[in-house]
Amino acid sequence: MAGIGGASRLNTAVLRRRDGGAMKPLEAGDPASVGDGRYRLVGRLGRGGMGVVYFGRSRSGRAVAVKVVRPELSTEPGFRRRFADEVAAARRVGGFHTAPVVDADPEGDPAWLVTAYVPGPTLQAVLERVGSLPADTLTVLAAGLAEALAAIHQAGVIHRDLKPANIIVAEDGPGSSTSASRGPSTVRRSRRPGSRSAPSAPSRRSS
């Protein structure tokens, strides 16, 4: 972790979890691809209540994070509409510190979402390895998080699952990644008309 001493600028993304670079092999029953072969799945990055996040490659070889929703969720009343709302909300989010949505199919069987892949460990993994961070590193980290949350709020979305496991720490400078992690992100309707809430997106590790 070259950037954790505070010497380099840290880029953070509000995304679904990433656990520091460990990728597990595909398991029996995992799809080989999504999007009619547009995105080939290479390995597993994480698993959550909504589904599995995979590391994948586009046809041009670009690295992507692919969230594949658990098939049984598609049968729940209103799920596909809610997932389509989540995708639309994630597409509205911009800024330096979030990973962009690349593609999605809420009507797929199963439904799936693709975001740019942002390499880097989660903040949780960093803290478990190095312990407390120096003040200058924390200052940069806090500024990145503030920018990410500002971008999310400007899109009319509320992040309801902000925690170290959902924050990616990248060593390249701000601007190399952009969305909410979502990459692939889970967005839920609030009870207040016109507002939405998004726990996070897949841009790399879990869901």
Side-chain angles (χ1 to χ4, degrees):
M1 279 295 310
I4 289 305
S8 68
R9 301 184 72 189
L10 302 181
N11 188 22
T12 60
V14 182
L15 304 170
R16 252 340 202 175
R17 66 171 283 274
R18 307 171 150 210
D19 38 10
M23 179 170 60
K24 298 179 180 179
L26 296 177
E27 299 180 1
D30 283 340
S33 65
V34 298
D36 296 324
R38 294 197 301 278
Y39 305 100
R40 178 175 56 89
L41 306 185
V42 178
R44 284 176 164 233
L45 294 173
R47 182 185 183 90
M50 193 174 185
V52 178
V53 175
Y54 300 92
F55 176 79
R57 295 279 182 185
S58 69
R59 284 175 174 165
S60 66
R62 189 175 297 275
V64 293
V66 183
K67 175 186 281 186
V68 178
V69 176
R70 287 165 39 209
E72 60 268 27
L73 290 179
S74 299
T75 63
E76 293 184 3
F79 170 80
R80 291 188 183 275
R81 176 187 55 77
R82 293 195 303 272
F83 188 64
D85 287 346
E86 294 166 8
V87 171
R91 289 186 187 278
R92 295 198 303 270
V93 177
F96 290 124
H97 300 286
T98 56
V101 173
V102 174
D103 201 352
D105 185 4
E107 298 301 323
D109 187 18
W112 52 269
L113 170 66
V114 177
T115 66
Y117 175 84
V118 183
T122 60
L123 178 58
Q124 177 174 305
V126 170
L127 294 174
E128 289 173 350
R129 286 205 298 266
V130 306
S132 300
L133 301 179
D136 56 346
T137 298
L138 291 174
T139 299
V140 174
L141 184 63
L145 284 173
E147 289 183 9
L149 289 173
I152 291 171
H153 293 165
Q154 287 172 2
V157 173
I158 299 172
H159 196 303
R160 295 172 57 185
D161 197 21
L162 184 63
K163 58 187 178 183
N166 285 348
I167 298 169
I168 299 166
V169 180
E171 295 180 1
D172 50 350
S176 62
S177 65
T178 57
S179 174
S181 342
R182 8 107 31 208
S185 151
T186 337
V187 179
R188 297 194 181 125
R189 288 180 180 272
S190 161
R191 295 191 179 182
R192 293 181 300 165
S195 66
R196 299 175 188 272
S197 61
S200 58
S203 198
R204 203 190 142 191
R205 279 257 194 303
S206 130
S207 125

